[in-house]
Amino acid sequence: MFKIRTSKYRHVFCDAPKTESTHTGFRLSTVTGDQQYIKASTKYFAVALFGGGGAVYVGRHDRPGRFVPGHTPTLHGHAGAILDFEWNPFDDTMLATASEDTTIKLWSIPEDWEPIAANGQSKKGTDIEESLVDLVGHAKKVNLMRFHPTAANVLASSSSDYTVKLWDIETSQELSTFEEMQDLCQDIVWDYKGDSYAT
């Protein structure tokens, strides 16, 4: 006789997180693509928001609470929707954003950034609208980005123009361009030493 083995985990349950320990109120971006929709550094996390101007909410891990559109400060400055964003692995306060407007922008999150108060309520503040650096060179929307794993100021980006570009973010200069992509790039992966990348 055939017998189905019962799961060892059938009596495992988890409790829903308490409201005061969650981040809520986001209306997330509906842009589809190959990017991840939430990314984090050791201090902050970022999510792309629905609406024009490429808005991104940057929250602190230690300050859960409710996001209130139009009240809670955000980061925005692109002319189109944000398709990807990436935290600099060498600087927890530096965020790069890629957009449909063909540009890449680098942002610095201030040390005193507190969009949510200690009591979990949205805190009125000033939006971040000025980027540190604008990287311009792609002919079509920028789909993906990845920071170099061992060099602090190198960023790789791919675009719908079928190119992959390497950038020096310190000087805002393009280092090289790979133009032999036959189709859209689905991902960029650096090797662990940063000697080469795969697309």
Side-chain angles (χ1 to χ4, degrees):
M1 179 174 148
F2 179 72
K3 184 176 179 183
I4 298 175
R5 196 173 102 193
T6 57
S7 171
K8 296 177 186 177
Y9 304 103
R10 68 178 181 264
H11 298 296
V12 174
F13 299 98
C14 69
D15 295 326
K18 295 179 180 174
T19 306
E20 61 269 12
S21 301
T22 60
H23 298 273
T24 61
F26 304 115
R27 189 163 178 217
L28 301 177
S29 174
T30 56
V31 174
T32 58
D34 300 307
Q35 71 280 6
Q36 299 162 355
Y37 294 96
I38 183 170
K39 291 187 181 178
S41 69
T42 57
K43 187 174 182 180
Y44 302 107
F45 71 95
V47 293
L49 300 173
F50 182 81
V56 174
Y57 172 72
V58 176
R60 288 177 34 176
H61 296 301
D62 63 343
R63 288 287 175 90
R66 180 158 185 77
F67 171 81
V68 178
H71 186 267
T72 308
T74 59
L75 176 152
H76 57 89
H78 284 284
I82 290 184
L83 300 178
D84 196 18
F85 44 91
E86 182 87 358
W87 290 98
N88 186 335
F90 299 94
D91 182 354
D92 289 336
T93 63
M94 183 179 285
L95 179 69
T97 56
S99 174
E100 285 181 342
D101 67 8
T102 73
T103 66
I104 298 166
K105 293 181 182 279
L106 284 107
W107 311 84
S108 178
I109 309 304
E111 287 296 325
D112 61 348
W113 182 253
E114 291 186 3
I116 303 293
N119 65 0
Q121 299 299 313
S122 173
K123 197 172 170 182
K124 186 67 176 164
T126 306
D127 290 349
I128 300 174
E129 298 177 345
E130 291 295 322
S131 60
L132 293 174
V133 174
D134 290 3
L135 303 176
V136 180
H138 284 293
K140 293 187 177 178
K141 63 184 179 180
V142 184
N143 300 318
L144 293 166
M145 295 176 305
R146 297 292 181 265
F147 273 102
H148 194 281
T150 58
N153 296 314
V154 177
L155 178 72
S157 65
S158 72
S159 169
S160 293
D161 62 7
Y162 304 131
T163 64
V164 177
K165 293 184 183 288
L166 295 182
W167 303 89
D168 180 340
I169 62 172
E170 192 170 23
T171 62
S172 305
Q173 298 295 316
E174 182 182 317
L175 297 174
S176 66
T177 302
F178 178 72
E179 298 178 335
E180 298 181 32
M181 296 289 293
Q182 302 298 314
D183 206 344
L184 287 176
C185 179
Q186 305 296 315
D187 201 2
I188 303 170
V189 180
W190 288 96
D191 73 344
Y192 74 98
K193 288 196 278 186
D195 292 335
S196 57
Y197 63 87
T199 59

Short mmCIF file of all heavy atoms in Angstrom, two decimals, residues 12 16 20 24-25 40 61 75 78 80 88 90 98 100 103 127 137-138 145 147 186:
data_model
loop_
_atom_site.label_atom_id
_atom_site.label_comp_id
_atom_site.label_asym_id
_atom_site.label_seq_id
_atom_site.Cartn_x
_atom_site.Cartn_y
_atom_site.Cartn_z
N VAL A 12 4.05 23.87 12.47
CA VAL A 12 4.85 25.08 12.62
C VAL A 12 4.00 26.27 12.21
O VAL A 12 3.42 26.29 11.14
CB VAL A 12 6.13 25.01 11.77
CG1 VAL A 12 6.88 26.32 11.82
CG2 VAL A 12 7.01 23.87 12.23
N ALA A 16 1.97 36.92 13.08
CA ALA A 16 2.11 38.12 12.25
C ALA A 16 2.89 39.16 13.03
O ALA A 16 2.75 39.25 14.25
CB ALA A 16 0.73 38.64 11.87
N GLU A 20 3.52 47.95 15.22
CA GLU A 20 4.58 48.92 15.55
C GLU A 20 5.96 48.47 15.07
O GLU A 20 6.92 49.23 15.15
CB GLU A 20 4.60 49.22 17.05
CG GLU A 20 4.87 48.04 17.93
CD GLU A 20 3.61 47.29 18.39
OE1 GLU A 20 2.51 47.55 17.86
OE2 GLU A 20 3.74 46.43 19.26
N THR A 24 4.69 50.47 6.71
CA THR A 24 3.43 50.37 5.97
C THR A 24 3.14 51.65 5.19
O THR A 24 3.83 52.66 5.35
CB THR A 24 2.26 50.11 6.95
OG1 THR A 24 2.18 51.22 7.87
CG2 THR A 24 2.43 48.82 7.72
N GLY A 25 2.09 51.59 4.37
CA GLY A 25 1.59 52.77 3.68
C GLY A 25 2.16 53.02 2.30
O GLY A 25 1.85 54.02 1.68
N ALA A 40 18.68 47.18 0.27
CA ALA A 40 19.06 47.77 1.55
C ALA A 40 20.57 47.86 1.71
O ALA A 40 21.31 47.05 1.16
CB ALA A 40 18.47 46.95 2.68
N HIS A 61 16.21 51.24 8.95
CA HIS A 61 15.82 49.93 9.50
C HIS A 61 15.29 50.05 10.92
O HIS A 61 14.38 49.32 11.30
CB HIS A 61 17.03 48.97 9.52
CG HIS A 61 17.56 48.62 8.18
ND1 HIS A 61 16.81 48.03 7.19
CD2 HIS A 61 18.79 48.80 7.64
CE1 HIS A 61 17.54 47.84 6.12
NE2 HIS A 61 18.75 48.30 6.36
N LEU A 75 12.93 60.75 -2.02
CA LEU A 75 14.03 61.13 -2.91
C LEU A 75 13.45 61.11 -4.32
O LEU A 75 12.86 60.10 -4.72
CB LEU A 75 15.12 60.08 -2.73
CG LEU A 75 16.38 60.11 -3.56
CD1 LEU A 75 17.50 59.49 -2.76
CD2 LEU A 75 16.20 59.36 -4.84
N HIS A 78 14.32 62.27 -11.12
CA HIS A 78 14.32 61.78 -12.51
C HIS A 78 13.08 62.29 -13.24
O HIS A 78 12.06 62.59 -12.63
CB HIS A 78 14.31 60.25 -12.53
CG HIS A 78 15.63 59.62 -12.21
ND1 HIS A 78 16.66 59.57 -13.11
CD2 HIS A 78 16.09 59.01 -11.09
CE1 HIS A 78 17.70 58.96 -12.57
NE2 HIS A 78 17.38 58.61 -11.33
N GLY A 80 11.61 60.32 -15.48
CA GLY A 80 10.83 59.12 -15.76
C GLY A 80 10.85 58.19 -14.56
O GLY A 80 11.45 58.49 -13.51
N ASN A 88 25.66 51.66 -2.67
CA ASN A 88 27.10 51.53 -2.81
C ASN A 88 27.62 50.66 -1.67
O ASN A 88 27.40 50.97 -0.50
CB ASN A 88 27.75 52.92 -2.76
CG ASN A 88 29.22 52.90 -3.05
OD1 ASN A 88 29.91 51.90 -2.86
ND2 ASN A 88 29.73 54.03 -3.50
N PHE A 90 30.47 50.40 -0.47
CA PHE A 90 31.53 51.06 0.28
C PHE A 90 31.04 52.29 1.03
O PHE A 90 31.79 52.90 1.77
CB PHE A 90 32.68 51.45 -0.67
CG PHE A 90 33.30 50.26 -1.34
CD1 PHE A 90 32.87 49.86 -2.59
CD2 PHE A 90 34.27 49.52 -0.69
CE1 PHE A 90 33.43 48.74 -3.21
CE2 PHE A 90 34.83 48.42 -1.31
CZ PHE A 90 34.41 48.02 -2.56
N ALA A 98 18.57 54.29 -11.53
CA ALA A 98 18.55 54.24 -13.00
C ALA A 98 17.11 54.45 -13.45
O ALA A 98 16.18 53.95 -12.82
CB ALA A 98 19.06 52.89 -13.49
N GLU A 100 13.98 55.51 -16.70
CA GLU A 100 13.51 55.53 -18.08
C GLU A 100 13.99 56.77 -18.82
O GLU A 100 13.98 56.81 -20.03
CB GLU A 100 11.97 55.51 -18.11
CG GLU A 100 11.37 54.17 -17.80
CD GLU A 100 9.85 54.19 -17.86
OE1 GLU A 100 9.24 55.28 -17.81
OE2 GLU A 100 9.27 53.10 -17.95
N THR A 103 19.11 58.31 -17.71
CA THR A 103 20.18 58.76 -16.83
C THR A 103 20.33 57.87 -15.61
O THR A 103 19.43 57.12 -15.24
CB THR A 103 19.95 60.20 -16.34
OG1 THR A 103 18.79 60.22 -15.51
CG2 THR A 103 19.80 61.16 -17.49
N ASP A 127 12.22 66.89 0.94
CA ASP A 127 12.58 65.87 -0.04
C ASP A 127 14.01 66.08 -0.53
O ASP A 127 14.50 67.21 -0.56
CB ASP A 127 11.64 65.91 -1.24
CG ASP A 127 10.23 65.45 -0.91
OD1 ASP A 127 10.01 64.91 0.19
OD2 ASP A 127 9.34 65.63 -1.76
N GLY A 137 24.81 58.99 -20.86
CA GLY A 137 25.55 58.35 -21.95
C GLY A 137 24.76 57.27 -22.66
O GLY A 137 25.04 56.96 -23.80
N HIS A 138 23.75 56.71 -21.99
CA HIS A 138 22.91 55.71 -22.64
C HIS A 138 21.91 56.41 -23.56
O HIS A 138 21.43 57.50 -23.27
CB HIS A 138 22.17 54.86 -21.61
CG HIS A 138 23.02 53.83 -20.94
ND1 HIS A 138 23.55 52.76 -21.62
CD2 HIS A 138 23.44 53.72 -19.66
CE1 HIS A 138 24.25 52.02 -20.78
NE2 HIS A 138 24.20 52.58 -19.58
N MET A 145 21.78 48.12 -12.88
CA MET A 145 23.07 48.64 -12.43
C MET A 145 23.63 47.70 -11.37
O MET A 145 22.89 47.08 -10.62
CB MET A 145 22.92 49.99 -11.74
CG MET A 145 22.45 51.10 -12.57
SD MET A 145 22.25 52.57 -11.55
CE MET A 145 21.18 52.00 -10.27
N PHE A 147 27.18 47.82 -8.62
CA PHE A 147 28.45 48.38 -8.19
C PHE A 147 29.53 47.30 -8.24
O PHE A 147 29.26 46.12 -8.04
CB PHE A 147 28.35 48.92 -6.76
CG PHE A 147 27.86 50.34 -6.70
CD1 PHE A 147 26.55 50.61 -6.37
CD2 PHE A 147 28.72 51.39 -6.96
CE1 PHE A 147 26.10 51.92 -6.29
CE2 PHE A 147 28.29 52.70 -6.90
CZ PHE A 147 26.96 52.97 -6.57
N GLN A 186 19.54 40.79 -18.96
CA GLN A 186 18.66 40.37 -17.87
C GLN A 186 19.29 40.56 -16.50
O GLN A 186 18.60 40.66 -15.50
CB GLN A 186 18.27 38.89 -18.05
CG GLN A 186 17.64 38.56 -19.38
CD GLN A 186 16.32 39.26 -19.59
OE1 GLN A 186 15.49 39.28 -18.69
NE2 GLN A 186 16.13 39.85 -20.75
#
